[in-house]
Amino acid sequence: MPDRATDHITLKSRQIPVIADCDVVVVGAGPAGLSAAVSAARNGCSVTLVERYHHLGGMASGGMVLVLDDMVNGGSEIVTTGIVTEFVERMEAQDGAVYPPPQDCLKSWEMWQKWSRWGCIDFHKTGMPQPIIHAVAFDPDTWKRVSLDLVGEAKINLRLHSWFSEAIIDGGKVAGIVCQTKLGRQAIRCSMVVDATGDLDLAASAGADFIKGQYIVTTVFRLAGVDTERAEKFEYENPQEYKKLDRRARRVIGGAWGMWWLKTPIPGIVWCNCPHMAGYDGLSPESMVAAEYEGRERMMNLLAFARENLPGFENARMLGAAEQIGVRQTRLLQGEYVVTRDDVKSRRHFADSVCRGRDYYTPYRALLPRGIDNLIVAGRHYSCESEAQKSSREIPPCMAQGEAAGVAVSIALDENVALRDVNAKKIQRQMRAQGADPGDVPSSNALVEQPPAAE
Ligand SMILES: Cc1cc2nc3c(=O)[nH]c(=O)nc-3n(C[C@H](O)[C@H](O)[C@H](O)COP(=O)(O)OP(=O)(O)OC[C@H]3O[C@@H](n4cnc5c(N)ncnc54)[C@H](O)[C@@H]3O)c2cc1C
C-alpha cells in the first residue's frame, strides 16, 4: 500500500521494450526537429523522429503561428534558405503559402495596402509605412502535409503519439530515450540525440545546464466568415476612425501586437496572434490550464466586439483556438557558448556560425551542452540569454538550426568523434552544399571580431 503520509511515491523499476535502434533520435517534430531529422537522414543517418502529438509542426501547425519571419537581412538578403526554401516552395505548390514577389518588397503605401495584412512587413522598422519584406503567410494543415511528405521521402522512422519522458544515460552519453505511449513505456536506442522539444526536455533529463526563462503566452485563434476586402477598404479609407476602433479592440483582447488580425491563404479566414498573457509557466500543467481559461474568455470578448463594431467582421465566427497553446520560452540551454542579447542586437558574427536568422548569427557552440558528447539541441531552447531568445526564436531560424544539427550529427557519426569535436568549417561547407546559408560569410552590416573558422 502506498504511504499516504509522504508527498512522493517510489516506483519499482520495470523492463521496457526497445522498439527501435538507430543512428539518431530526434525528439520533437516542430520546425527545428523536422529539419534536423530530414537533414540527418539525407546525410545517410538512420533516424527516428519522436513527437508527442498526432501531427508534425509544433508551434507552426498545432500552435497556428502562421507567418514565417526573420528571413531577411537589410530588407532584401534572404538568409534562411535550404530546407526553409524547399518547405515554402512545397507549401506554395499546394496553395498553402503566400508571400510578396521581390518587386513588391518596397517601402510604399501602395505595397503596404497590398501586403501588410499578410504580415509581410518589417516589424523592426519604425516609421510608416514599414517596408514590405520576404515573409510567408501559410496554412497550418499544409504545413502538416508537407512535413509528412518530407519525413516519408527521407525514410525517417516516425513515432507520433510518443511523449519523451527520460534520457537513458550510459557512461556520460545518451544511449537512448524512453517515451510514454498508450501501449506503455517504450525505449529507443541510438548513437546521437537531437533535442528539438522547444522546452529542452531531453537535455534537461540528461543533466545539461539550463536556465528557466519566461515570456508571454498566447492562445492563438482563427476567425472564419470575415470580409477581409471590406475590412481593409474601411481601414485605408477611414484611417482615423479605424485607429480608434483598433485601439478599443486591442484593449478588449488585452495584449496584442499592432496587427492583431492577418489574412491567411484561405479566403475569409483570419489569423489572430493574440491575446498575449504574462506570468504563465509553459512547463506547468496548472499554469497552462489557467492560461487556457483566460485566453478563451478574452478571444470570445474580442469576437463579440469585432462583430458589433468592425466593418468586415459582422458575420465573423470563431473557427477555433490552436491545438497547442502558444508558449514562447521555458528552459534555455546554457551550453558551450551562451548567445547574449548584445550578440543579437549588435549582429555579432561568429567564426563557427552554422546558421542565421534576420541579421543575427548562431555559433555551433550554442547548440551544444557542456559535458555531454552526443547530444545537440535545435530550436527555441538553444543556448542563449532569455532576452536574446525573445528576438532570435522565429520559425525559419529554428529550422536552420535543425538543418545544421542534422549535418553535425552525420559528420560526428562518419568521423566517430564527439559532437564538440566536429569542425564547424565542415558543417558550413555541407550547409552550403544543401543550399542553406550557414552565416560563414558575414554580411556587410555584421560586427566581425574573429577570423573565419579554420579547416
Ligand atoms: C504565439 C506565438 C507567436 C509566434 N509568432 C511567430 C511568427 O509570427 N513568426 C515566426 O516565425 N515565429 C513566431 N513564433 C515563434 C515560433 O513559433 C517558435 O519559436 C518556433 O516554432 C520554435 O520551433 P521549435 O521547433 O524550436 O519548437 P516548437 O515549435 O515548440 O516544436 C517543439 C516540438 O516538440 C514536441 N515536443 C515537446 N515536448 C515533447 C516531448 N516531451 N516528447 C515528444 N515531443 C515533444 C512538440 O509537440 C512540438 O512538436 C511565435 C511563437 C508563439 C508561441
Side-chain angles (χ1 to χ4, degrees):
M1 289 286 281
D3 179 358
R4 292 202 156 163
T6 67
D7 60 0
H8 63 269
I9 55 166
T10 306
L11 293 178
K12 278 192 223 133
S13 62
R14 271 179 247 141
Q15 282 202 329
I16 299 170
V18 177
I19 50 98
D21 195 330
C22 57
D23 294 332
V24 183
V25 168
V26 179
V27 181
L34 185 277
S35 305
V38 169
S39 176
R42 287 179 179 174
N43 280 291
C45 304
S46 60
V47 178
T48 302
L49 177 59
V50 171
E51 168 58 45
R52 61 181 161 166
Y53 292 140
H54 74 290
H55 60 262
L56 302 173
M59 283 302 151
S61 60
M64 272 189 211
V65 168
L66 302 183
V67 174
L68 301 180
D69 257 344
D70 267 15
M71 305 171 86
V72 179
N73 175 38
S76 58
E77 185 198 8
I78 298 179
V79 299
T80 51
T81 53
I83 290 177
V84 175
T85 305
E86 182 181 351
F87 210 97
V88 170
E89 286 170 355
R90 285 182 181 234
M91 289 199 295
E92 192 184 10
Q94 298 189 32
D95 294 331
V98 176
Y99 55 96
Q103 66 271 20
D104 283 7
C105 292
L106 300 169
K107 183 179 163 72
S108 81
W109 282 112
E110 187 194 351
M111 289 305 136
W112 171 267
Q113 294 199 0
K114 188 169 173 191
W115 287 106
S116 63
R117 283 288 167 194
W118 290 102
C120 303
I121 53 179
D122 189 344
F123 295 99
H124 298 274
K125 290 268 173 7
T126 48
M128 294 296 283
Q130 287 158 307
I132 301 305
I133 55 167
H134 179 72
V136 180
F138 65 92
D139 167 64
D141 207 61
T142 314
W143 186 287
K144 294 177 186 173
R145 288 196 302 276
V146 168
S147 300
L148 274 175
D149 288 347
L150 287 169
V151 166
E153 288 165 22
K155 304 213 172 347
I156 291 164
N157 177 20
L158 179 59
R159 308 287 306 177
L160 297 174
H161 304 280
S162 302
W163 195 296
F164 164 83
S165 61
E166 210 175 308
I168 305 166
I169 306 294
D170 189 5
K173 281 188 164 187
V174 182
I177 62 148
V178 176
C179 307
Q180 185 67 45
T181 75
K182 286 275 188 187
L183 295 173
R185 304 182 88 198
Q186 299 182 332
I188 303 171
R189 281 200 200 101
C190 59
S191 306
M192 296 270 161
V193 284
V194 182
D195 185 345
T197 58
D199 299 316
L200 209 73
D201 292 7
L202 168 49
S205 166
D209 291 336
F210 62 87
I211 54 165
K212 188 90 184 296
Q214 210 180 59
Y215 195 21
I216 45 174
V217 304
T218 300
T219 43
V220 167
F221 60 101
R222 287 186 300 175
L223 299 177
V226 179
D227 184 341
T228 55
E229 217 171 288
R230 180 165 145 72
E232 286 178 293
K233 194 165 183 292
F234 174 77
E235 178 180 352
Y236 302 136
E237 288 178 0
N238 309 276
Q240 293 315 322
E241 206 182 327
Y242 177 79
K243 244 188 217 152
K244 273 190 216 147
L245 279 172
D246 192 61
R247 252 199 304 272
R248 281 175 63 201
R250 279 191 277 140
R251 261 202 304 275
V252 171
I253 192 75
W257 309 130
M259 292 254 168
W260 62 265
W261 72 268
L262 292 173
K263 293 198 276 193
T264 72
I266 305 180
I269 292 182
V270 303
W271 172 49
C272 302
N273 182 1
C274 52
H276 294 165
M277 302 178 291
Y280 287 106
D281 177 357
L283 299 178
S284 150
E286 292 85 358
S287 193
M288 288 295 92
V289 169
E292 192 77 33
Y293 273 109
E294 182 179 343
R296 284 181 181 271
E297 186 181 334
R298 289 211 217 168
M299 69 176 77
M300 293 312 289
N301 290 344
L302 181 70
L303 174 62
F305 175 86
R307 281 173 67 103
E308 202 164 312
N309 297 285
L310 287 183
F313 284 75
E314 295 85 348
N315 300 312
R317 303 286 295 268
M318 179 58 67
L319 184 58
E323 292 148 304
Q324 289 172 241
I325 195 161
V327 173
R328 291 172 174 82
Q329 189 182 114
T330 57
R331 299 184 193 100
L332 299 173
L333 179 69
Q334 301 296 283
E336 292 279 346
Y337 182 82
V338 180
V339 171
T340 64
R341 181 172 183 270
D342 181 58
D343 290 336
V344 176
K345 295 282 169 221
S346 66
R347 309 187 187 100
R348 181 166 286 114
H349 181 260
F350 300 93
D352 64 338
S353 167
V354 288
C355 53
R356 60 190 298 204
R358 202 175 64 242
D359 52 7
Y360 50 85
Y361 302 83
T362 306
Y364 179 48
R365 289 161 293 158
L367 307 183
L368 299 175
R370 292 189 293 254
I372 308 170
D373 286 354
N374 66 337
L375 189 158
I376 188 165
V377 311
R380 63 182 166 86
H381 54 198
Y382 83 105
S383 176
C384 59
E385 295 175 348
S386 172
E387 287 305 314
Q389 194 262 15
K390 288 177 185 171
S391 46
S392 62
R393 69 190 159 85
E394 301 295 82
I395 294 168
C398 285
M399 294 175 80
Q401 284 187 12
E403 185 163 1
V407 168
V409 291
S410 74
I411 296 173
L413 283 165
D414 273 355
E415 298 183 351
N416 197 20
V417 295
L419 280 161
R420 184 176 314 105
D421 296 326
V422 172
N423 185 329
K425 193 86 204 157
K426 289 189 179 163
I427 303 173
Q428 293 169 347
R429 251 201 316 265
Q430 182 55 28
M431 285 288 276
R432 289 240 169 246
Q434 296 179 188
D437 185 342
D440 51 344
V441 181
S443 296
S444 58
N445 60 357
L447 172 64
V448 184
E449 293 168 331
Q450 297 172 330
E455 286 290 335

